[in-house]
Amino acid sequence: MSRPLARLRVGFGRNHTLGSILASLASIHGTTTMYEEHGGNGPVSYRSAADQVERWAAAIHARIAPGDRVVLATTNGYAQFLLSLAVCRAGGIAVPVNPHMSEHEVDHVIADAAAALVLRSASELPDAPPQRWTAGASPGDVAALFYTSGTTGKPKGVELTHRGLLGSGPRSALVNLPLRHDEAVLALPVAHIMGFVALLGCACAGVPAYSFERFSPTAVLDAIERRRASMFVGVPAMYRLLIEAGAERRDLTCVRVWASGADVMPDDLARRFQQMGAIATLPGVGPVGDALFVEGYGMAELAGAVAVRVAPPVRIPLLERLLPGDALGQALPGYRLKIVDEDGNTARPGATGELWVKGPGVTVGYWGNEAASADALTGDGWLRTGDLAAKGPFGTIRFAGRAKDVIKHGGYSVYALEVEAALVAHPAVAEAAVLGLPDEMKGEVPVAVVRLVADAGPEVDPAVLMVWAAERLADYKCPRQIVIVDDLPRTGSAKVRKAELRALFVD
């Protein structure tokens, strides 16, 4: 039977769960490669991965009851992803833990989730024979708890359903055709929602994943260039480090799609990577056009991306006006977005307010935390994202930063994202983090911490950057202090831990 006909027989529908999806994918793709790990023992097929999940699921099933939480405090890697599927296959709720968490944070997760089982390595599971059973989970049941990074307090367990996590993944398996070489290179934490859904999406689409346990810009560039990978998925901080590692001196024309999420991607940086890739490579002609750049907007509470902005391989002025660099893009099918003012009413066009989202991926709440759930969710199912946005022309929505990143300075609202963008525009600045410090007169004042590019000269100092900012920003938006550092503290998903930067501003 041809592979397209086999897909039709499998019957991908809305009844799949994380526990059943891999067996169905294995019936489609069989011995074709599902993934390979950097430094691992070689490619692993869909069939081998599905058999491994069945064996792990049999061992887990013997140790838990339906609905029990299983904390996966393993190293980052594809095994953690497969273990999550195995927990769901066994009828449990997977709780993957980011290895960047401290032991104190891991202990909090274990206690908060009331875990029935904690696995720190797949080797702790006996090699049980595969069994066939029905776990009894429904698409609307909670499949996993993803604990937030805890930048504003103790991590909370975000409850996500099978339906929310799978999204349109099963449908993508029906349309994938093996017409050309595809491979995605990823170095994301599996316990972060972006890393998890990226692996899940690749698996459903039949795109082999080449994954790294930890991000190394040089090793990632080597892998893309050597393997002629067609896609890279990362966060903006990774793209900046790839540039510093000499990405523009490599042959990356094999990349047809660059993808980013988890933070705002600077438009000029995305454009540089588009020009490094190519939309196609033609026999006798070579690389043609620029690559696509796909940027997703989402968060753990949304089970991944709910809006996507695609920069095409050619510059289209009209499209750039409709979807500027700070636009969230188009809402994915099934999702609704709206901007709400401080009174809970729909904000007027152009006014900045909080972004609310409604759709199948929205969390059902925070595990064991009714107060936090009530704060985040409305009675009719809207998620208050805590992100600031404004409605632009032609129905576009423009991102303005996190609500907690608004600095109230003398009655003015200073958006950290805007100040950061102005600082990063300086050719010597690689990254900038802006925050507000208490001030008796003004309430708060903006300050900044910056990381310079590797070849920045000694003449680039805080005073130079203060003048640069003053030429581009209103006085009340300009940082009152700038500190230059060698590196910035980060969460497991590479976001900057701004709370830790306050100690740099003693006076």
Side-chain angles (χ1 to χ4, degrees):
M1 178 181 293
S2 69
R3 289 178 61 184
L5 287 178
R7 287 188 182 88
L8 294 176
R9 280 193 59 185
V10 170
F12 274 88
R14 297 186 177 183
N15 294 325
H16 271 292
T17 67
L18 290 186
S20 67
I21 189 68
L22 188 50
S24 293
L25 290 171
S27 70
I28 294 175
H29 299 291
T31 58
T32 59
T33 298
M34 180 179 177
Y35 73 94
E36 184 174 350
E37 292 191 285
H38 179 71
N41 295 322
V44 177
S45 70
Y46 278 83
R47 187 170 298 160
S48 296
D51 289 344
Q52 181 64 81
V53 166
E54 288 291 342
R55 289 194 295 271
W56 283 340
I60 294 170
H61 185 259
R63 300 171 64 177
I64 67 170
D68 277 351
R69 278 72 58 204
V70 179
V71 171
L72 304 173
T74 64
T75 57
N76 185 50
Y78 213 94
Q80 191 178 48
F81 172 69
L82 294 180
L83 280 169
S84 299
L85 302 188
V87 170
C88 294
R89 182 79 182 98
I93 295 175
V95 189
V97 170
N98 196 318
H100 286 275
M101 281 186 170
S102 66
E103 278 300 314
H104 178 74
E105 289 174 311
V106 174
D107 289 342
H108 164 73
V109 170
I110 294 170
D112 187 73
L117 178 63
V118 179
L119 295 175
R120 297 185 181 275
S121 171
S123 62
E124 297 175 17
L125 294 173
D127 192 14
Q131 298 179 15
R132 302 294 175 183
W133 69 83
T134 301
S138 299
D141 292 341
V142 174
L145 304 182
F146 281 82
Y147 274 77
T148 57
S149 58
T151 55
T152 59
K154 286 188 175 181
K156 301 187 293 292
V158 180
E159 301 176 80
L160 300 176
T161 65
H162 295 275
R163 181 183 295 115
L165 284 165
L166 283 170
S168 60
R171 291 195 294 275
S172 70
L174 290 169
V175 299
N176 175 60
L177 295 175
L179 298 178
R180 60 187 185 185
H181 167 76
D182 272 307
E183 182 178 78
V185 172
L186 310 94
L188 297 163
V190 175
H192 183 265
I193 191 63
M194 180 180 173
F196 190 91
V197 299
L199 293 182
L200 186 59
C202 286
C204 288
V207 176
Y210 187 80
S211 66
F212 284 76
E213 179 180 340
R214 59 181 60 87
F215 177 73
S216 164
T218 301
V220 164
L221 290 172
D222 288 343
I224 294 173
E225 195 171 23
R226 182 182 71 255
R227 301 175 65 86
R228 308 311 294 163
S230 61
M231 180 185 299
F232 173 73
V233 185
V235 299
M238 292 178 179
Y239 281 95
R240 294 187 183 99
L241 292 172
L242 289 175
I243 288 287
E244 293 179 29
E248 290 170 307
R249 297 190 296 273
R250 302 294 195 107
D251 177 10
L252 306 180
T253 54
C254 54
V255 178
R256 294 192 295 272
V257 179
W258 302 96
S260 178
D263 208 345
V264 177
M265 183 73 184
D267 198 42
D268 59 338
L269 183 58
R271 185 63 189 156
R272 290 170 73 177
F273 276 92
Q274 281 190 270
Q275 293 170 340
M276 293 181 221
I279 194 61
T281 300
L282 303 179
V285 178
V288 295
D290 293 343
L292 294 173
F293 202 102
V294 180
E295 185 175 4
Y297 168 79
M299 57 182 62
E301 288 85 348
L302 296 170
V306 298
V308 173
R309 175 177 178 265
V310 179
V314 294
R315 303 299 292 267
I316 304 176
L318 176 60
L319 183 61
E320 291 177 354
R321 288 197 296 271
L322 293 177
L323 289 175
D326 56 357
L328 298 181
Q330 298 298 314
L332 293 174
Y335 287 94
R336 296 163 58 193
L337 314 179
K338 69 176 180 179
I339 313 299
V340 177
D341 62 22
E342 293 180 354
D343 297 323
N345 301 315
T346 300
R348 68 181 187 278
T352 298
E354 185 180 13
L355 176 65
W356 287 15
V357 179
K358 190 174 187 179
V362 170
T363 178
V364 296
Y366 295 105
W367 182 264
N369 195 332
E370 293 184 5
S373 300
D375 286 342
L377 296 166
T378 67
D380 54 352
W382 288 90
L383 175 76
R384 304 180 180 98
T385 66
D387 283 338
L388 298 172
K391 184 174 290 186
F394 307 104
T396 58
I397 293 179
R398 308 184 70 164
F399 183 73
R402 291 289 294 173
K404 61 183 175 60
D405 278 345
V406 177
I407 301 161
K408 297 296 184 179
H409 176 65
Y412 292 100
S413 292
V414 178
Y415 298 104
L417 184 67
E418 180 184 4
V419 182
E420 289 165 357
L423 290 170
V424 170
H426 191 289
V429 176
E431 286 184 277
V434 172
L435 58 154
L437 294 185
D439 182 81
E440 290 184 3
M441 292 293 293
K442 298 291 187 178
E444 288 182 300
V445 294
V447 296
V449 180
V450 303
R451 182 175 68 85
L452 302 179
V453 298
D455 57 352
E459 68 278 3
V460 181
D461 59 16
V464 169
L465 296 179
M466 296 273 278
V467 172
W468 173 273
E471 292 173 347
R472 288 158 178 80
L473 297 168
D475 177 68
Y476 69 90
K477 297 179 183 178
C478 290
R480 295 313 189 251
Q481 295 182 57
I482 295 179
V483 174
I484 296 175
V485 297
D486 294 330
D487 203 1
L488 294 164
R490 304 183 187 279
T491 67
S493 57
K495 291 183 179 180
V496 176
R497 293 183 182 269
K498 289 190 176 182
E500 296 182 14
L501 300 178
R502 296 185 182 278
L504 299 175
F505 302 94
V506 178
D507 299 323

